[in-house]
Structure formats: C-alpha cells, structure tokens
Amino acid sequence: MMARVPSTDTASQPPAGPGPAPLAPATPAVLPVLPVLPVLADEITELSETDLALVEALQLDPRAPWSRIGAVIGIDATTAARRWRRLTGSGVAWMTAYPAQHTSVIGYVDLACDAGAVEPLTTLLQSWGPVFSLERTTGEHQLFLSVAARDLPSLDDFAVRRLGGLAGVRSVRLSVCTAVHREGSGWLVHTLNARQRSDLGGGGTGPGRPSRRTGPHESDHRLLLALGVDARRGHAELARVCDLTETTVRRRLRRMIAGGEVYFRCDLTQRLAGWPVIATFRLTVPGPGTEATAKALAGLPETRLCSSVTGSDNLLLSVWLRSPGDCEALEERILRRHPGIRVGERNITLRTVKRMGRLLDGDGRARDHVPISPAAT
C-alpha cells in the first residue's frame, strides 16, 4: 500500500488549549498514521542465519544495492530482495530514516499514571509525532517516552503543559539529552564476520559531519517523511511520492547524508532476534572520566542507547538482553569494570509500543508508522 507523504507537518502537534487535556481529543490533531507493507499470509515465526545476516548487512549499509548485499552474504540479488520483502511484509524487520539528533532537542520523559489511565494514555500518545518512542515499563513510572522538540522552551511546554495536563498523569519527570554515545542505528545483530563487515563498511550512507545548519531545510521534510516510511525506497519512487524530480532527490539525499542530517536504521523484532528483554538503567558517573566511561558502555554489544542526560543520574543506558536474569548479571559486570558508577534506577520494559516512529504490535512486529515531528511552541 502506497501512502502519499503529507506536504506539511502542521498537524503534528497535540491539540493546544488551557487546562487538562482529555484522554482522547475530539478531533485528532496529530500526524497521520502511514500504513507500512501489508502483513503476508506466511507470518515468520523464526529468523534464519541468512535472515539475520541480511538484516546486519542493511544495518551496515542501509541503501546498498541488492547485488552488493547479496554478494556479501552469499546469495544473489533477487533472493536478497525477495527475502527482505518477506521480512518487511511480516513486520519482522523494517527500514526507517529520521533527522539526526543535532537537528532537535531530545528529552526522555517518565510518566507516573493512574492504573486505569495507562491503556488510554498509551493509545493517545502513540499517535503524537513528537513522541518518537514509547514503552510501558516497571517501576514508579509506567510510561517511558522519547520526545523530540525544536528547542528547550518547546520541550518544557510539551512536558509540563501537554503531558502534565493529561488526565490520569500524576507526575512528569524530564531529562534532557546532552550527548548521544550510541543509539539504535549503531546496534548490530552480530551475525556477519569481520571480512563481511569490512566489505560493506557503511557504503557512504552513514551520517557525515554535522552541518552548521540547525536542521533540515523545509523543502527536505517531505523527503525525510517518505524515507521514514521505508528508507529503502528508490530514487524514482521517492521522486514520485514527494513530487520532485529524480535528480533533485539524488542531490538532496546526497547532501543530507554528507551533512549528517539523517540517520538510516534497519530494525527488527527483538524477540525473534533472540533479545526479547529491554532493560533501562539510570546511572551516576562521577567527575573526570565520564566521557570515557560513557563510550565504554556504549560499546557493549547489548547497548541500544547510551545518552548523557541532565540530573543526578547523568547517564541513561538501554540494553537488549536474552532474559530478565541477565539484567543483574550485566549490572554486576558494569560495576566490576567501572566501580565508581552508582546505579540509581533499573527498569524492564513490559512492552514497546513505538520505536522511532514505528508502531509495534504485542509481538513487536511493525504495523504502522507515525512521522516524527518535533514539538514546537
């Protein structure tokens, strides 16, 4: 199913207005949910080594031609393309793109909610463009949100007025991201060998050095939205969907990649990948050596997100694990290697509802896509 990309993002903000907001707005003032590929009849229940190799190859070089991907993992281009269509059609794997972190302010928000409000709040917040990731978690806070905003005042307004004003929300805790040491686009399945990884090596689709601009040009927004739905779309299809010439698409995409304005990310259903558990740690890393410690934690194979944040717990670490019991084992390993760290909080994700704009079902399969749009006052 092909969805035409909206020409503007003016509908991306939650409805404005004084006082507490209802759990369901009368008229949804949110970005449209864009359908991804329809679910195939033969739903995948297990990933083969070739499937995992294909995913990792696309993690390393997201827009490489199928001929190159196939050559690295030992299959022909037609087979590689067919396998990828099957994975995406079943919602098991997907490819997305989104603005690089330096183009907006990122906040991590914990919401403490009344028990009866968790489900309706989940349904409402998953459709909001500024909320690019949403998890239901253990601990004092039932919802964990990753939020994009155009600037600090916009983030403040979104957290205090919009989120704090929702019925059923008891408290809001906000941490501002000051540096990202690793995020999901840097995580690998770890199926390929060193030679195969070297043969791919990124292929020029990783973000370059950030440009001096504060964000993508207005005329690039539609291209980013189209890539968000499917970052493997070809230049001709992008041109058709965005109402641009193919030459313009190639030029803009080349500039956005070189300028570090866009991340490409190949993701997959974590349960089938063998990493069904998400654990999030809030850590205090003292004084000198904070940067080196953050980089060391970011380099762990389990790490999906490692960010420096404001607050007494100055490092946020999110990891994928094999079982809940691995949470304690990883914590002990971290503390042995870095005895100065204090663990302020640890939580396990009960369900991932949304990941980088992708709406996931109860099994973690991609079903729909909500374009990411930073909150703005």
Side-chain angles (χ1 to χ4, degrees), residues 81-106:
R82 184 176 65 249
R83 278 182 173 270
W84 179 246
R85 283 195 303 271
R86 183 168 178 262
L87 292 175
T88 57
S90 190
V92 168
W94 58 94
M95 184 79 71
T96 191
Y98 46 93
Q101 188 269 340
H102 71 274
T103 64
S104 59
V105 176
I106 302 299

Side-chain angles (χ1 to χ4, degrees), residues 6-29:
S7 59
T8 67
D9 62 353
T10 56
S12 63
Q13 306 307 323
L23 286 179
T27 55

Side-chain angles (χ1 to χ4, degrees), residues 87-158:
L87 292 175
T88 57
S90 190
V92 168
W94 58 94
M95 184 79 71
T96 191
Y98 46 93
Q101 188 269 340
H102 71 274
T103 64
S104 59
V105 176
I106 302 299
Y108 302 111
V109 181
D110 295 284
L111 297 183
C113 315
D114 295 334
V118 173
E119 186 63 36
L121 282 169
T122 299
T123 302
L124 174 64
L125 293 173
Q126 70 180 1
S127 67
W128 285 12
V131 180
F132 59 85
S133 292
L134 173 62
E135 299 174 18
R136 301 244 288 254
T137 66
T138 61
E140 297 179 3
H141 301 88
Q142 291 74 38
L143 296 176
F144 176 58
L145 289 63
S146 298
V147 174
R150 291 187 180 174
D151 49 37
L152 289 172
S154 297
L155 182 60
D156 171 67
D157 178 77
F158 187 82

Side-chain angles (χ1 to χ4, degrees), residues 1-4 34-38 229 233 237 368:
M1 182 180 296
M2 183 67 64
R4 189 164 186 82
L34 303 179
V36 296
L37 293 175
V229 176
R233 280 174 159 171
E237 183 181 351
D368 293 298

Side-chain angles (χ1 to χ4, degrees), residues 216-232:
H217 192 275
E218 287 294 329
S219 60
D220 295 333
H221 285 165
R222 285 160 66 188
L223 183 55
L224 279 170
L225 289 172
L227 289 167
V229 176
D230 179 8
R232 287 287 301 178

Side-chain angles (χ1 to χ4, degrees), residues 293-364:
T293 301
K295 287 184 177 179
L297 296 178
L300 295 174
E302 299 94 339
T303 297
R304 288 279 299 189
L305 175 68
C306 183
S307 295
S308 293
V309 295
T310 57
S312 56
D313 294 329
N314 57 352
L315 199 67
L316 182 72
L317 181 70
S318 180
V319 296
W320 281 13
L321 302 171
R322 304 289 187 186
S323 70
D326 289 342
C327 183
E328 183 176 354
L330 176 64
E331 183 177 328
E332 290 179 357
R333 197 164 88 234
I334 290 173
L335 293 179
R336 280 199 306 270
R337 294 181 183 179
H338 309 279
I341 288 180
R342 182 184 68 84
V343 179
E345 193 174 303
R346 67 193 63 76
N347 290 301
I348 286 180
T349 295
L350 302 173
R351 180 190 167 194
T352 300
V353 179
K354 187 179 187 181
R355 184 185 301 149
M356 292 311 300
R358 196 73 55 169
L359 298 183
L360 309 181
D361 66 14
D363 293 324

